[in-house]
Amino acid sequence: DEIVASHGAYQESLIPIIQDIQSEYRYLPPELLSYVAEKIGISEAKAYSVATFYENFSFEPKGKYVIKVCNGISGEKNTTDDMLFTVETVSCLGACGLAPVLTVNDTVYPKMTPDAAAELIHELRGA
């Protein structure tokens, strides 16, 4: 309710509202998307069509640290059991000049090596 109130209960507020919800929960809980749709006077179908159109919205819970790397890594499980890390592959991070690069919660880490990535994970675990 606080997030909806901060943006106003208007149809055009849908994207900023669900961005804030995702920032708060690190994903978009489907029940909250349905709740928001009702609060701002749109159908659930409309809310879901907007949320699924944009790649940045996720309906899956994510770890405390979301690590993004360019395509090329595969794996069946993306989030650790302790909900600390989520690894996502993306088409572009917009930082080819800094490659190899990864991001953690949108912070860019350039010129990564396997050892540097392992050290970063170790540091994050201790944080």
Side-chain angles (χ1 to χ4, degrees), residues 37-108:
E38 181 181 327
K39 287 295 236 183
I40 65 173
I42 63 172
S43 69
E44 282 186 47
K46 171 79 171 178
Y48 275 91
S49 71
V50 169
T52 57
F53 176 79
Y54 294 100
E55 195 174 297
N56 288 341
F57 294 121
S58 172
F59 291 100
E60 297 294 321
K62 294 186 178 188
K64 179 178 179 180
Y65 299 106
V66 177
I67 301 167
K68 294 182 182 179
V69 295
C70 293
N71 283 339
I73 291 182
S74 63
E76 289 192 24
K77 187 158 184 166
N78 294 331
T79 301
T80 56
D81 288 337
D82 62 5
M83 295 299 292
L84 196 57
F85 297 104
T86 297
V87 176
E88 298 179 339
T89 58
V90 295
S91 297
C92 181
L93 290 171
C96 291
L98 302 174
V101 65
L102 63 80
T103 66
V104 177
N105 295 349
D106 299 320
T107 299
V108 176

Short mmCIF file of all heavy atoms in Angstrom, two decimals, residues 37-108:
data_model
loop_
_atom_site.label_atom_id
_atom_site.label_comp_id
_atom_site.label_asym_id
_atom_site.label_seq_id
_atom_site.Cartn_x
_atom_site.Cartn_y
_atom_site.Cartn_z
N ALA A 37 -2.88 -4.60 -9.49
CA ALA A 37 -3.81 -4.44 -10.61
C ALA A 37 -5.18 -3.97 -10.10
O ALA A 37 -5.76 -3.03 -10.64
CB ALA A 37 -3.94 -5.75 -11.38
N GLU A 38 -5.65 -4.61 -9.04
CA GLU A 38 -6.94 -4.22 -8.46
C GLU A 38 -6.89 -2.81 -7.91
O GLU A 38 -7.81 -2.01 -8.13
CB GLU A 38 -7.32 -5.21 -7.36
CG GLU A 38 -8.67 -4.91 -6.72
CD GLU A 38 -9.03 -5.88 -5.61
OE1 GLU A 38 -8.65 -7.06 -5.70
OE2 GLU A 38 -9.69 -5.43 -4.65
N LYS A 39 -5.80 -2.47 -7.22
CA LYS A 39 -5.68 -1.14 -6.60
C LYS A 39 -5.66 -0.01 -7.61
O LYS A 39 -6.17 1.08 -7.33
CB LYS A 39 -4.40 -1.06 -5.75
CG LYS A 39 -4.47 -1.82 -4.47
CD LYS A 39 -5.49 -1.24 -3.55
CE LYS A 39 -4.90 -0.88 -2.22
NZ LYS A 39 -5.88 -0.39 -1.28
N ILE A 40 -5.05 -0.25 -8.80
CA ILE A 40 -4.94 0.84 -9.78
C ILE A 40 -5.99 0.73 -10.89
O ILE A 40 -5.97 1.53 -11.82
CB ILE A 40 -3.53 0.96 -10.36
CG1 ILE A 40 -3.14 -0.26 -11.19
CG2 ILE A 40 -2.51 1.23 -9.25
CD1 ILE A 40 -1.80 -0.10 -11.91
N GLY A 41 -6.88 -0.26 -10.77
CA GLY A 41 -8.00 -0.35 -11.69
C GLY A 41 -7.70 -0.91 -13.06
O GLY A 41 -8.26 -0.44 -14.06
N ILE A 42 -6.81 -1.91 -13.13
CA ILE A 42 -6.57 -2.58 -14.40
C ILE A 42 -6.77 -4.08 -14.20
O ILE A 42 -6.79 -4.56 -13.07
CB ILE A 42 -5.15 -2.30 -14.96
CG1 ILE A 42 -4.07 -2.84 -14.03
CG2 ILE A 42 -4.96 -0.82 -15.25
CD1 ILE A 42 -2.66 -2.77 -14.61
N SER A 43 -6.91 -4.79 -15.30
CA SER A 43 -7.09 -6.24 -15.19
C SER A 43 -5.77 -6.91 -14.83
O SER A 43 -4.69 -6.37 -15.10
CB SER A 43 -7.61 -6.81 -16.52
OG SER A 43 -6.60 -6.73 -17.51
N GLU A 44 -5.87 -8.09 -14.22
CA GLU A 44 -4.68 -8.86 -13.93
C GLU A 44 -3.94 -9.20 -15.22
O GLU A 44 -2.71 -9.18 -15.26
CB GLU A 44 -5.04 -10.16 -13.21
CG GLU A 44 -5.35 -9.98 -11.74
CD GLU A 44 -5.55 -11.31 -11.04
OE1 GLU A 44 -4.73 -12.22 -11.22
OE2 GLU A 44 -6.55 -11.42 -10.29
N ALA A 45 -4.70 -9.49 -16.27
CA ALA A 45 -4.08 -9.82 -17.56
C ALA A 45 -3.23 -8.67 -18.07
O ALA A 45 -2.12 -8.88 -18.57
CB ALA A 45 -5.16 -10.19 -18.58
N LYS A 46 -3.71 -7.45 -17.93
CA LYS A 46 -2.94 -6.27 -18.37
C LYS A 46 -1.66 -6.13 -17.54
O LYS A 46 -0.57 -5.91 -18.07
CB LYS A 46 -3.80 -5.02 -18.25
CG LYS A 46 -3.09 -3.73 -18.48
CD LYS A 46 -2.89 -3.45 -19.93
CE LYS A 46 -2.36 -2.04 -20.10
NZ LYS A 46 -2.10 -1.72 -21.47
N ALA A 47 -1.79 -6.30 -16.23
CA ALA A 47 -0.62 -6.19 -15.35
C ALA A 47 0.42 -7.25 -15.70
O ALA A 47 1.61 -6.97 -15.79
CB ALA A 47 -1.04 -6.30 -13.89
N TYR A 48 -0.04 -8.48 -15.92
CA TYR A 48 0.88 -9.57 -16.27
C TYR A 48 1.51 -9.35 -17.64
O TYR A 48 2.68 -9.65 -17.84
CB TYR A 48 0.18 -10.93 -16.20
CG TYR A 48 0.18 -11.51 -14.82
CD1 TYR A 48 -0.87 -11.26 -13.94
CD2 TYR A 48 1.23 -12.28 -14.37
CE1 TYR A 48 -0.86 -11.78 -12.65
CE2 TYR A 48 1.26 -12.80 -13.09
CZ TYR A 48 0.19 -12.55 -12.23
OH TYR A 48 0.22 -13.05 -10.97
N SER A 49 0.74 -8.82 -18.58
CA SER A 49 1.31 -8.59 -19.91
C SER A 49 2.41 -7.55 -19.85
O SER A 49 3.44 -7.68 -20.52
CB SER A 49 0.22 -8.20 -20.92
OG SER A 49 -0.27 -6.90 -20.69
N VAL A 50 2.25 -6.54 -19.04
CA VAL A 50 3.31 -5.53 -18.88
C VAL A 50 4.51 -6.14 -18.17
O VAL A 50 5.66 -5.98 -18.60
CB VAL A 50 2.78 -4.30 -18.10
CG1 VAL A 50 3.91 -3.37 -17.71
CG2 VAL A 50 1.73 -3.55 -18.93
N ALA A 51 4.28 -6.85 -17.08
CA ALA A 51 5.38 -7.41 -16.29
C ALA A 51 6.17 -8.46 -17.07
O ALA A 51 7.39 -8.56 -16.90
CB ALA A 51 4.85 -8.00 -14.99
N THR A 52 5.50 -9.23 -17.91
CA THR A 52 6.21 -10.25 -18.67
C THR A 52 6.87 -9.69 -19.92
O THR A 52 7.78 -10.31 -20.46
CB THR A 52 5.28 -11.43 -19.06
OG1 THR A 52 4.16 -10.92 -19.79
CG2 THR A 52 4.80 -12.17 -17.81
N PHE A 53 6.44 -8.52 -20.36
CA PHE A 53 7.04 -7.91 -21.55
C PHE A 53 8.47 -7.46 -21.26
O PHE A 53 9.36 -7.62 -22.09
CB PHE A 53 6.20 -6.71 -22.01
CG PHE A 53 6.80 -5.97 -23.17
CD1 PHE A 53 6.67 -6.46 -24.46
CD2 PHE A 53 7.51 -4.79 -22.97
CE1 PHE A 53 7.22 -5.79 -25.54
CE2 PHE A 53 8.06 -4.12 -24.04
CZ PHE A 53 7.92 -4.61 -25.33
N TYR A 54 8.70 -6.93 -20.08
CA TYR A 54 10.01 -6.40 -19.72
C TYR A 54 10.87 -7.48 -19.08
O TYR A 54 10.48 -8.12 -18.11
CB TYR A 54 9.88 -5.21 -18.78
CG TYR A 54 9.23 -4.03 -19.44
CD1 TYR A 54 7.88 -3.75 -19.24
CD2 TYR A 54 9.95 -3.21 -20.29
CE1 TYR A 54 7.28 -2.67 -19.87
CE2 TYR A 54 9.36 -2.13 -20.92
CZ TYR A 54 8.01 -1.87 -20.71
OH TYR A 54 7.43 -0.81 -21.34
N GLU A 55 12.07 -7.65 -19.62
CA GLU A 55 13.00 -8.69 -19.16
C GLU A 55 13.46 -8.47 -17.72
O GLU A 55 13.85 -9.41 -17.03
CB GLU A 55 14.21 -8.70 -20.09
CG GLU A 55 15.07 -9.91 -19.97
CD GLU A 55 16.17 -9.93 -21.02
OE1 GLU A 55 15.85 -9.98 -22.21
OE2 GLU A 55 17.33 -9.86 -20.61
N ASN A 56 13.42 -7.24 -17.24
CA ASN A 56 13.93 -6.94 -15.90
C ASN A 56 13.05 -7.46 -14.77
O ASN A 56 13.50 -7.55 -13.64
CB ASN A 56 14.11 -5.43 -15.72
CG ASN A 56 15.28 -4.91 -16.51
OD1 ASN A 56 16.16 -5.66 -16.90
ND2 ASN A 56 15.30 -3.62 -16.76
N PHE A 57 11.78 -7.77 -15.07
CA PHE A 57 10.90 -8.26 -14.02
C PHE A 57 11.02 -9.78 -13.91
O PHE A 57 11.07 -10.49 -14.90
CB PHE A 57 9.45 -7.86 -14.27
CG PHE A 57 9.23 -6.38 -14.18
CD1 PHE A 57 8.74 -5.68 -15.27
CD2 PHE A 57 9.53 -5.68 -13.03
CE1 PHE A 57 8.55 -4.31 -15.19
CE2 PHE A 57 9.35 -4.31 -12.94
CZ PHE A 57 8.85 -3.62 -14.03
N SER A 58 11.06 -10.27 -12.68
CA SER A 58 11.20 -11.70 -12.44
C SER A 58 10.12 -12.16 -11.48
O SER A 58 9.86 -11.52 -10.47
CB SER A 58 12.56 -11.99 -11.82
OG SER A 58 12.64 -13.33 -11.41
N PHE A 59 9.51 -13.30 -11.79
CA PHE A 59 8.51 -13.90 -10.91
C PHE A 59 9.12 -14.97 -10.02
O PHE A 59 8.42 -15.61 -9.25
CB PHE A 59 7.36 -14.50 -11.74
CG PHE A 59 6.52 -13.45 -12.41
CD1 PHE A 59 6.70 -13.15 -13.74
CD2 PHE A 59 5.57 -12.74 -11.70
CE1 PHE A 59 5.95 -12.18 -14.37
CE2 PHE A 59 4.80 -11.76 -12.31
CZ PHE A 59 4.99 -11.48 -13.65
N GLU A 60 10.42 -15.16 -10.12
CA GLU A 60 11.13 -16.15 -9.30
C GLU A 60 11.93 -15.44 -8.21
O GLU A 60 12.61 -14.45 -8.49
CB GLU A 60 12.10 -16.95 -10.17
CG GLU A 60 11.43 -17.76 -11.26
CD GLU A 60 10.56 -18.87 -10.70
OE1 GLU A 60 10.96 -19.50 -9.70
OE2 GLU A 60 9.47 -19.09 -11.26
N PRO A 61 11.87 -15.93 -6.97
CA PRO A 61 12.67 -15.33 -5.90
C PRO A 61 14.16 -15.36 -6.26
O PRO A 61 14.64 -16.33 -6.84
CB PRO A 61 12.39 -16.22 -4.69
CG PRO A 61 11.10 -16.89 -5.00
CD PRO A 61 11.07 -17.06 -6.49
N LYS A 62 14.86 -14.30 -5.90
CA LYS A 62 16.28 -14.21 -6.20
C LYS A 62 17.08 -14.11 -4.91
O LYS A 62 16.57 -13.71 -3.88
CB LYS A 62 16.56 -12.99 -7.07
CG LYS A 62 15.92 -13.12 -8.44
CD LYS A 62 16.32 -12.00 -9.33
CE LYS A 62 15.69 -12.21 -10.70
NZ LYS A 62 16.19 -11.27 -11.67
N GLY A 63 18.35 -14.42 -5.05
CA GLY A 63 19.26 -14.33 -3.91
C GLY A 63 19.57 -12.88 -3.56
O GLY A 63 19.21 -11.95 -4.27
N LYS A 64 20.24 -12.71 -2.44
CA LYS A 64 20.64 -11.38 -1.99
C LYS A 64 21.50 -10.69 -3.03
O LYS A 64 21.40 -9.49 -3.24
CB LYS A 64 21.40 -11.51 -0.66
CG LYS A 64 21.87 -10.20 -0.10
CD LYS A 64 22.57 -10.39 1.24
CE LYS A 64 23.08 -9.07 1.80
NZ LYS A 64 23.77 -9.26 3.08
N TYR A 65 22.36 -11.45 -3.70
CA TYR A 65 23.23 -10.92 -4.74
C TYR A 65 22.82 -11.51 -6.08
O TYR A 65 22.78 -12.74 -6.23
CB TYR A 65 24.70 -11.26 -4.45
CG TYR A 65 25.18 -10.68 -3.14
CD1 TYR A 65 25.38 -11.50 -2.04
CD2 TYR A 65 25.43 -9.32 -3.02
CE1 TYR A 65 25.82 -10.97 -0.83
CE2 TYR A 65 25.85 -8.79 -1.81
CZ TYR A 65 26.05 -9.62 -0.72
OH TYR A 65 26.48 -9.09 0.46
N VAL A 66 22.51 -10.66 -7.03
CA VAL A 66 22.16 -11.11 -8.38
C VAL A 66 23.35 -10.84 -9.27
O VAL A 66 23.73 -9.69 -9.50
CB VAL A 66 20.90 -10.38 -8.90
CG1 VAL A 66 20.59 -10.82 -10.34
CG2 VAL A 66 19.71 -10.67 -7.99
N ILE A 67 23.96 -11.90 -9.76
CA ILE A 67 25.16 -11.82 -10.59
C ILE A 67 24.75 -12.04 -12.03
O ILE A 67 24.12 -13.05 -12.35
CB ILE A 67 26.19 -12.89 -10.16
CG1 ILE A 67 26.55 -12.71 -8.69
CG2 ILE A 67 27.41 -12.86 -11.07
CD1 ILE A 67 27.28 -13.88 -8.09
N LYS A 68 25.09 -11.10 -12.90
CA LYS A 68 24.75 -11.22 -14.31
C LYS A 68 26.02 -11.35 -15.12
O LYS A 68 26.97 -10.61 -14.91
CB LYS A 68 23.95 -10.02 -14.79
CG LYS A 68 22.58 -9.93 -14.13
CD LYS A 68 21.78 -8.76 -14.66
CE LYS A 68 20.45 -8.69 -13.93
NZ LYS A 68 19.64 -7.56 -14.39
N VAL A 69 26.00 -12.30 -16.04
CA VAL A 69 27.13 -12.52 -16.94
C VAL A 69 26.60 -12.64 -18.36
O VAL A 69 25.44 -12.99 -18.56
CB VAL A 69 27.95 -13.77 -16.56
CG1 VAL A 69 28.60 -13.62 -15.21
CG2 VAL A 69 27.07 -15.01 -16.57
N CYS A 70 27.46 -12.36 -19.33
CA CYS A 70 27.06 -12.50 -20.73
C CYS A 70 26.78 -13.96 -21.07
O CYS A 70 27.29 -14.86 -20.40
CB CYS A 70 28.15 -11.94 -21.65
SG CYS A 70 28.37 -10.17 -21.50
N ASN A 71 26.00 -14.18 -22.11
CA ASN A 71 25.67 -15.55 -22.55
C ASN A 71 26.90 -16.42 -22.63
O ASN A 71 27.99 -15.96 -22.91
CB ASN A 71 25.01 -15.51 -23.93
CG ASN A 71 23.57 -15.07 -23.85
OD1 ASN A 71 22.93 -15.16 -22.82
ND2 ASN A 71 23.06 -14.58 -24.96
N GLY A 72 26.72 -17.69 -22.41
CA GLY A 72 27.83 -18.62 -22.52
C GLY A 72 27.93 -19.53 -21.31
O GLY A 72 28.55 -20.57 -21.36
N ILE A 73 27.31 -19.14 -20.20
CA ILE A 73 27.32 -19.98 -19.00
C ILE A 73 25.97 -20.69 -18.94
O ILE A 73 24.94 -20.11 -19.21
CB ILE A 73 27.52 -19.13 -17.73
CG1 ILE A 73 28.92 -18.57 -17.71
CG2 ILE A 73 27.24 -19.94 -16.49
CD1 ILE A 73 29.23 -17.76 -16.48
N SER A 74 25.99 -21.94 -18.59
CA SER A 74 24.72 -22.64 -18.44
C SER A 74 24.72 -23.37 -17.11
O SER A 74 25.75 -23.63 -16.53
CB SER A 74 24.53 -23.64 -19.58
OG SER A 74 25.55 -24.62 -19.54
N GLY A 75 23.53 -23.68 -16.68
CA GLY A 75 23.37 -24.40 -15.42
C GLY A 75 21.91 -24.47 -15.10
O GLY A 75 21.17 -23.55 -15.42
N GLU A 76 21.49 -25.58 -14.49
CA GLU A 76 20.07 -25.76 -14.22
C GLU A 76 19.60 -24.93 -13.03
O GLU A 76 18.51 -24.42 -13.04
CB GLU A 76 19.77 -27.22 -14.00
CG GLU A 76 19.88 -28.03 -15.28
CD GLU A 76 19.31 -29.40 -15.13
OE1 GLU A 76 18.45 -29.61 -14.25
OE2 GLU A 76 19.73 -30.27 -15.88
N LYS A 77 20.42 -24.81 -12.01
CA LYS A 77 19.99 -24.10 -10.81
C LYS A 77 20.64 -22.72 -10.80
O LYS A 77 21.85 -22.60 -10.88
CB LYS A 77 20.39 -24.88 -9.57
CG LYS A 77 19.84 -24.26 -8.33
CD LYS A 77 19.76 -25.24 -7.23
CE LYS A 77 19.10 -24.52 -6.10
NZ LYS A 77 18.63 -25.22 -5.06
N ASN A 78 19.82 -21.69 -10.68
CA ASN A 78 20.33 -20.33 -10.76
C ASN A 78 20.46 -19.64 -9.40
O ASN A 78 21.17 -18.65 -9.31
CB ASN A 78 19.43 -19.48 -11.67
CG ASN A 78 19.49 -19.94 -13.10
OD1 ASN A 78 20.49 -20.47 -13.55
ND2 ASN A 78 18.41 -19.75 -13.82
N THR A 79 19.77 -20.12 -8.37
CA THR A 79 19.82 -19.49 -7.05
C THR A 79 20.30 -20.51 -6.04
O THR A 79 19.81 -21.64 -6.00
CB THR A 79 18.44 -18.95 -6.64
OG1 THR A 79 18.01 -17.99 -7.62
CG2 THR A 79 18.50 -18.25 -5.29
N THR A 80 21.26 -20.10 -5.22
CA THR A 80 21.79 -21.00 -4.20
C THR A 80 20.72 -21.29 -3.14
O THR A 80 19.80 -20.48 -2.94
CB THR A 80 23.04 -20.41 -3.53
OG1 THR A 80 22.73 -19.12 -2.99
CG2 THR A 80 24.19 -20.28 -4.52
N ASP A 81 20.83 -22.42 -2.47
CA ASP A 81 19.85 -22.82 -1.47
C ASP A 81 19.72 -21.80 -0.34
O ASP A 81 18.65 -21.64 0.23
CB ASP A 81 20.20 -24.19 -0.88
CG ASP A 81 19.95 -25.32 -1.86
OD1 ASP A 81 19.14 -25.14 -2.80
OD2 ASP A 81 20.59 -26.38 -1.71
N ASP A 82 20.80 -21.11 -0.02
CA ASP A 82 20.75 -20.13 1.07
C ASP A 82 20.20 -18.77 0.62
O ASP A 82 20.18 -17.82 1.40
CB ASP A 82 22.13 -19.95 1.70
CG ASP A 82 23.18 -19.43 0.73
OD1 ASP A 82 22.85 -19.10 -0.44
OD2 ASP A 82 24.36 -19.35 1.13
N MET A 83 19.74 -18.69 -0.65
CA MET A 83 19.16 -17.46 -1.22
C MET A 83 20.13 -16.29 -1.21
O MET A 83 19.74 -15.14 -1.18
CB MET A 83 17.87 -17.06 -0.49
CG MET A 83 16.74 -18.07 -0.64
SD MET A 83 16.24 -18.32 -2.36
CE MET A 83 15.51 -16.74 -2.75
N LEU A 84 21.43 -16.59 -1.25
CA LEU A 84 22.43 -15.54 -1.25
C LEU A 84 22.78 -15.10 -2.67
O LEU A 84 22.94 -13.92 -2.92
CB LEU A 84 23.68 -16.01 -0.51
CG LEU A 84 24.67 -14.94 -0.09
CD1 LEU A 84 24.01 -13.88 0.79
CD2 LEU A 84 25.83 -15.58 0.66
N PHE A 85 22.87 -16.05 -3.59
CA PHE A 85 23.30 -15.73 -4.95
C PHE A 85 22.33 -16.24 -5.99
O PHE A 85 21.81 -17.35 -5.86
CB PHE A 85 24.68 -16.35 -5.24
CG PHE A 85 25.77 -15.83 -4.38
CD1 PHE A 85 26.26 -16.60 -3.33
CD2 PHE A 85 26.32 -14.58 -4.59
CE1 PHE A 85 27.27 -16.13 -2.51
CE2 PHE A 85 27.34 -14.10 -3.77
CZ PHE A 85 27.82 -14.87 -2.73
N THR A 86 22.11 -15.42 -7.02
CA THR A 86 21.38 -15.82 -8.22
C THR A 86 22.26 -15.48 -9.40
O THR A 86 22.74 -14.35 -9.50
CB THR A 86 20.04 -15.07 -8.34
OG1 THR A 86 19.21 -15.42 -7.23
CG2 THR A 86 19.32 -15.43 -9.65
N VAL A 87 22.48 -16.44 -10.29
CA VAL A 87 23.27 -16.19 -11.49
C VAL A 87 22.32 -16.16 -12.67
O VAL A 87 21.51 -17.06 -12.85
CB VAL A 87 24.35 -17.27 -11.71
CG1 VAL A 87 25.08 -17.06 -13.03
CG2 VAL A 87 25.33 -17.28 -10.55
N GLU A 88 22.39 -15.09 -13.46
CA GLU A 88 21.57 -14.94 -14.65
C GLU A 88 22.47 -14.70 -15.85
O GLU A 88 23.46 -13.97 -15.75
CB GLU A 88 20.63 -13.73 -14.52
CG GLU A 88 19.64 -13.84 -13.40
CD GLU A 88 18.74 -12.61 -13.29
OE1 GLU A 88 19.10 -11.53 -13.79
OE2 GLU A 88 17.67 -12.76 -12.69
N THR A 89 22.12 -15.30 -16.97
CA THR A 89 22.82 -14.99 -18.20
C THR A 89 21.99 -13.96 -18.95
O THR A 89 20.76 -14.04 -18.98
CB THR A 89 23.05 -16.23 -19.07
OG1 THR A 89 21.80 -16.83 -19.37
CG2 THR A 89 23.95 -17.23 -18.38
N VAL A 90 22.65 -12.98 -19.51
CA VAL A 90 21.97 -11.91 -20.24
C VAL A 90 22.63 -11.74 -21.60
O VAL A 90 23.80 -12.09 -21.79
CB VAL A 90 22.01 -10.58 -19.45
CG1 VAL A 90 21.22 -10.70 -18.15
CG2 VAL A 90 23.42 -10.15 -19.14
N SER A 91 21.88 -11.19 -22.53
CA SER A 91 22.41 -10.98 -23.87
C SER A 91 23.46 -9.88 -23.90
O SER A 91 24.42 -9.94 -24.67
CB SER A 91 21.29 -10.63 -24.84
OG SER A 91 20.39 -11.70 -24.92
N CYS A 92 23.27 -8.86 -23.09
CA CYS A 92 24.19 -7.73 -23.13
C CYS A 92 24.22 -7.02 -21.78
O CYS A 92 23.18 -6.74 -21.20
CB CYS A 92 23.75 -6.75 -24.23
SG CYS A 92 24.83 -5.32 -24.38
N LEU A 93 25.41 -6.72 -21.33
CA LEU A 93 25.58 -5.91 -20.12
C LEU A 93 25.95 -4.48 -20.47
O LEU A 93 26.07 -3.63 -19.60
CB LEU A 93 26.65 -6.52 -19.20
CG LEU A 93 26.28 -7.84 -18.53
CD1 LEU A 93 27.49 -8.45 -17.85
CD2 LEU A 93 25.16 -7.62 -17.53
N GLY A 94 26.18 -4.22 -21.75
CA GLY A 94 26.53 -2.87 -22.19
C GLY A 94 27.92 -2.45 -21.77
O GLY A 94 28.17 -1.26 -21.58
N ALA A 95 28.82 -3.40 -21.61
CA ALA A 95 30.16 -3.07 -21.13
C ALA A 95 31.22 -3.92 -21.83
O ALA A 95 32.16 -4.39 -21.21
CB ALA A 95 30.23 -3.26 -19.62
N CYS A 96 31.08 -4.11 -23.15
CA CYS A 96 32.03 -4.96 -23.89
C CYS A 96 33.47 -4.45 -23.76
O CYS A 96 34.40 -5.25 -23.72
CB CYS A 96 31.65 -5.02 -25.36
SG CYS A 96 30.12 -5.93 -25.64
N GLY A 97 33.65 -3.14 -23.66
CA GLY A 97 34.99 -2.59 -23.54
C GLY A 97 35.67 -2.96 -22.23
O GLY A 97 36.88 -2.82 -22.11
N LEU A 98 34.90 -3.42 -21.26
CA LEU A 98 35.44 -3.81 -19.96
C LEU A 98 35.54 -5.32 -19.80
O LEU A 98 35.91 -5.81 -18.74
CB LEU A 98 34.55 -3.25 -18.84
CG LEU A 98 34.36 -1.73 -18.82
CD1 LEU A 98 33.34 -1.34 -17.76
CD2 LEU A 98 35.67 -1.02 -18.60
N ALA A 99 35.19 -6.05 -20.85
CA ALA A 99 35.12 -7.52 -20.79
C ALA A 99 36.47 -8.15 -20.46
O ALA A 99 37.51 -7.56 -20.77
CB ALA A 99 34.60 -8.05 -22.12
N PRO A 100 36.43 -9.32 -19.85
CA PRO A 100 35.22 -9.99 -19.36
C PRO A 100 34.67 -9.29 -18.13
O PRO A 100 35.42 -8.86 -17.26
CB PRO A 100 35.69 -11.40 -19.03
CG PRO A 100 37.18 -11.33 -18.93
CD PRO A 100 37.63 -10.11 -19.67
N VAL A 101 33.36 -9.16 -18.10
CA VAL A 101 32.70 -8.36 -17.07
C VAL A 101 31.53 -9.15 -16.48
O VAL A 101 30.94 -9.99 -17.15
CB VAL A 101 32.23 -7.01 -17.67
CG1 VAL A 101 31.18 -7.21 -18.73
CG2 VAL A 101 31.74 -6.05 -16.61
N LEU A 102 31.23 -8.86 -15.23
CA LEU A 102 30.00 -9.34 -14.61
C LEU A 102 29.46 -8.22 -13.76
O LEU A 102 30.17 -7.26 -13.44
CB LEU A 102 30.22 -10.64 -13.81
CG LEU A 102 31.14 -10.65 -12.59
CD1 LEU A 102 30.46 -10.09 -11.35
CD2 LEU A 102 31.57 -12.08 -12.31
N THR A 103 28.18 -8.31 -13.42
CA THR A 103 27.60 -7.33 -12.50
C THR A 103 27.06 -8.06 -11.29
O THR A 103 26.65 -9.22 -11.37
CB THR A 103 26.45 -6.52 -13.16
OG1 THR A 103 25.35 -7.40 -13.44
CG2 THR A 103 26.90 -5.81 -14.42
N VAL A 104 27.08 -7.38 -10.16
CA VAL A 104 26.45 -7.85 -8.95
C VAL A 104 25.53 -6.74 -8.49
O VAL A 104 25.99 -5.63 -8.18
CB VAL A 104 27.48 -8.19 -7.84
CG1 VAL A 104 26.75 -8.62 -6.57
CG2 VAL A 104 28.44 -9.26 -8.31
N ASN A 105 24.22 -7.02 -8.52
CA ASN A 105 23.22 -6.01 -8.16
C ASN A 105 23.49 -4.69 -8.89
O ASN A 105 23.47 -3.62 -8.30
CB ASN A 105 23.15 -5.80 -6.66
CG ASN A 105 22.66 -7.02 -5.93
OD1 ASN A 105 22.18 -7.98 -6.54
ND2 ASN A 105 22.78 -7.03 -4.62
N ASP A 106 23.80 -4.78 -10.17
CA ASP A 106 24.01 -3.65 -11.07
C ASP A 106 25.34 -2.91 -10.87
O ASP A 106 25.58 -1.89 -11.50
CB ASP A 106 22.84 -2.66 -11.03
CG ASP A 106 21.54 -3.32 -11.47
OD1 ASP A 106 21.58 -4.12 -12.42
OD2 ASP A 106 20.49 -3.04 -10.87
N THR A 107 26.22 -3.40 -10.00
CA THR A 107 27.58 -2.85 -9.90
C THR A 107 28.44 -3.64 -10.87
O THR A 107 28.45 -4.87 -10.86
CB THR A 107 28.13 -3.00 -8.47
OG1 THR A 107 27.29 -2.26 -7.58
CG2 THR A 107 29.56 -2.48 -8.38
N VAL A 108 29.18 -2.93 -11.73
CA VAL A 108 29.98 -3.56 -12.78
C VAL A 108 31.36 -3.93 -12.24
O VAL A 108 32.03 -3.12 -11.60
CB VAL A 108 30.14 -2.62 -13.99
CG1 VAL A 108 31.04 -3.22 -15.05
CG2 VAL A 108 28.76 -2.29 -14.58
#
